[in-house]
Amino acid sequence: HRSAAQLTYHGLVQMHEKLGESELCVFFRNNHFSTLTKVDGQLYLLATDLGYVSEREVVWERLNQIDGD
């Protein structure tokens, strides 16, 4: 099953399994590079969207769904 967000459930599971705790990596999805890390078993992307520009406390957004919501 292909998703519009270019991430599958299998891919999300693999990232959880392969990425070590507190490791950083480059994540490429939807023609965009992001910084990805894992903290306390959860995956987080560095928030770089312009929608967050006025949100001073938002630095990381959790990646826990394949549709990007």
Side-chain angles (χ1 to χ4, degrees):
H1 172 268
R2 294 185 64 164
S3 74
Q6 298 179 345
L7 178 62
T8 63
Y9 178 74
H10 175 76
L12 186 60
V13 169
Q14 287 296 303
M15 287 191 299
H16 272 282
E17 290 178 2
K18 304 295 183 188
L19 190 63
E21 192 69 19
S22 299
E23 263 185 359
L24 293 172
C25 71
V26 176
F27 179 61
F28 185 76
R29 175 175 65 166
N30 296 340
N31 235 12
H32 180 74
F33 289 100
S34 299
T35 301
L36 179 74
T37 192
K38 184 169 151 183
V39 177
D40 295 330
Q42 298 289 318
L43 298 175
Y44 292 92
L45 294 167
L46 186 61
T48 58
D49 190 281
L50 285 177
Y52 295 119
V53 73
S54 62
E55 301 293 330
R56 296 196 180 272
E57 294 185 18
V58 175
V59 177
W60 297 95
E61 57 182 317
R62 191 167 62 182
L63 177 62
N64 60 356
Q65 297 178 347
I66 62 171
D67 60 8
D69 292 339

